[in-house]
Amino acid sequence: MERKSIEIVGPFFTNYSYARVNRGLALGLKEVQHQYDVYVSCNKDKIDYYPTQSDLNSKQEIKELFLRRN
């Protein structure tokens, strides 16, 4: 049986409010439930900042949630 997942789509790395909410939601969901895999993802052409590998390496908790689609 395939495991269900929750994917939060949009900016998640910068410090402005929408990215902070997405990041906080993903991290919070990962902590309180274990029935679903939780991911963050984004389309690099539709957000203000797409994190580099170095960025992700500096924030391991985000790197583990990042679902790279492009």
Side-chain angles (χ1 to χ4, degrees):
M1 183 169 147
E2 187 174 329
R3 189 167 160 93
K4 294 180 180 181
S5 64
I6 298 171
E7 182 178 352
I8 299 166
V9 179
F12 61 89
F13 197 82
T14 59
N15 253 344
Y16 71 91
S17 60
Y18 186 34
R20 291 173 69 176
V21 167
N22 285 343
R23 182 172 59 246
L25 180 60
L27 291 169
L29 282 170
K30 182 180 180 210
E31 289 297 316
V32 300
Q33 65 73 42
H34 302 287
Q35 296 174 353
Y36 299 88
D37 292 322
V38 179
Y39 302 102
V40 291
S41 70
C42 58
N43 181 325
K44 63 182 169 184
D45 297 327
K46 294 184 179 182
I47 64 169
D48 66 328
Y49 183 77
Y50 191 80
T52 65
Q53 191 62 45
S54 178
D55 291 334
L56 293 169
N57 289 339
S58 72
K59 298 201 184 283
Q60 194 63 35
E61 70 278 6
I62 300 298
K63 182 180 179 179
E64 292 172 4
L65 295 174
F66 184 42
L67 182 60
R68 195 177 295 270
R69 293 208 183 271
N70 23 1

